[in-house]
Amino acid sequence: MKLKEIIDKDLVKIGIEAKDKEGALDELLGVIEKKFKITNREDVKKKLLEREAVKSTGLGNGIAIPHAHSEFVEGIAACIGISKEGVEFTCLDGKPAHVFVMIVANPQYNLKYLSLLAHTARILSREDIRQKLIDAKNEEEVVRIIREFEG
Amino acid sequence: MFFVVVFLKKEEYLDEVVEALVEAEIKGLSIVDGVEMEKVLAVDIPIFAGLVRSMGGMRGANKVLFGITEVGDNIKEFISILRDIDAPEDISRLVEVISLPVSDYLSGD
């Protein structure tokens, strides 16, 4: 599964305002809620925090892919957040995160959820893509970068 | 339904290969450790001991992934993803992928 199947400009936020991990999770969840049905926000946030407690999804190199399953999500939902300043996200390399892709899904969609997670990790492993996303001037440009890469 | 086998010649790329499988929505494969036949020849069978020098840089260990997948297109997608991976080496050249149609299948699920 590819990000372009889900992401549009309304699911991108440039200028993440949060200063810490929990704040960033809240903010990203707010972006997702603009377009996807989440019937129990607290449960989804709890699942995201539980996942972070296992091991941070701040993978290093300025990227974080917070993700979780919850039965209170309809289908698969995702959003992208960009922070030029960076957010302290307990990344594996100890540096701030600049590019966030949050993915939450109903457990019924596990295979597609895992596919999207792997795909996102592969996209963001590319330094050129990461830098383009950080430098993007607006939400449309972020969507265009993703679509160009995914073809 | 297809029986898929992936031979990975450099085990250090196992993470990338497994991630590519997941991305291609192929799940449930088994992963086993393998040894190149040439290594067994060269190391375990005295008459072939000279192969160690002539082969130059034998890797020895590899990984074999195998199992059943339902959709043949997923295998094409897997190969396409392998080609796209940004790694020091072209991982698609370090694997051999075989898929065979399955006619009879019994699952415990």
Side-chain angles (χ1 to χ4, degrees), chain A residues 39 43 47 69-74 105-107:
Chain A
T39 53
D43 180 80
K47 297 280 171 53
H69 274 141
S70 169
E71 63 197 74
F72 298 105
V73 179
E74 199 170 88
N106 191 291

Side-chain angles (χ1 to χ4, degrees), chain A residues 1-2 111-112 114-116 118-122 125-128 149, chain B residues 18-20 22-27 74 77 80-82 84-86:
Chain A
M1 185 172 195
K2 295 181 174 177
L111 187 56
K112 288 201 177 297
L114 292 176
S115 172
L116 183 62
H119 176 72
T120 303
R122 182 165 64 87
S125 71
R126 288 185 47 154
E127 189 180 354
D128 57 334
F149 176 79
Chain B
V18 172
E19 284 180 8
V22 170
E23 186 176 341
E25 300 185 22
I26 298 172
K27 62 170 186 174
N74 293 12
E77 173 75 4
S80 166
I81 291 166
L82 284 181
D84 277 351
I85 291 174
D86 188 25

Side-chain angles (χ1 to χ4, degrees), chain A residues 29-84:
Chain A
L29 208 44
V31 177
I32 280 183
E33 281 181 309
K34 284 188 200 171
K35 294 206 84 166
F36 292 100
K37 192 171 178 183
I38 291 176
T39 53
N40 185 338
R41 185 187 217 273
E42 285 313 304
D43 180 80
V44 178
K45 186 178 168 188
K46 180 167 160 269
K47 297 280 171 53
L48 286 163
L49 288 168
E50 284 173 358
R51 170 60 188 87
E52 292 301 324
V54 173
K55 191 169 191 178
S56 177
T57 62
L59 301 178
N61 292 318
I63 65 172
I65 312 176
H67 57 274
H69 274 141
S70 169
E71 63 197 74
F72 298 105
V73 179
E74 199 170 88
I76 301 177
C79 74
I80 296 175
I82 308 288
S83 166
K84 285 188 170 36

Side-chain angles (χ1 to χ4, degrees), chain A residues 67-114:
Chain A
H67 57 274
H69 274 141
S70 169
E71 63 197 74
F72 298 105
V73 179
E74 199 170 88
I76 301 177
C79 74
I80 296 175
I82 308 288
S83 166
K84 285 188 170 36
E85 297 76 24
V87 177
E88 169 47 46
F89 207 83
T90 58
C91 290
L92 301 181
D93 60 3
K95 294 178 181 170
H98 295 272
V99 180
F100 302 84
V101 179
M102 176 178 276
I103 302 169
V104 291
N106 191 291
Q108 288 182 337
Y109 293 82
N110 190 44
L111 187 56
K112 288 201 177 297
Y113 163 78
L114 292 176

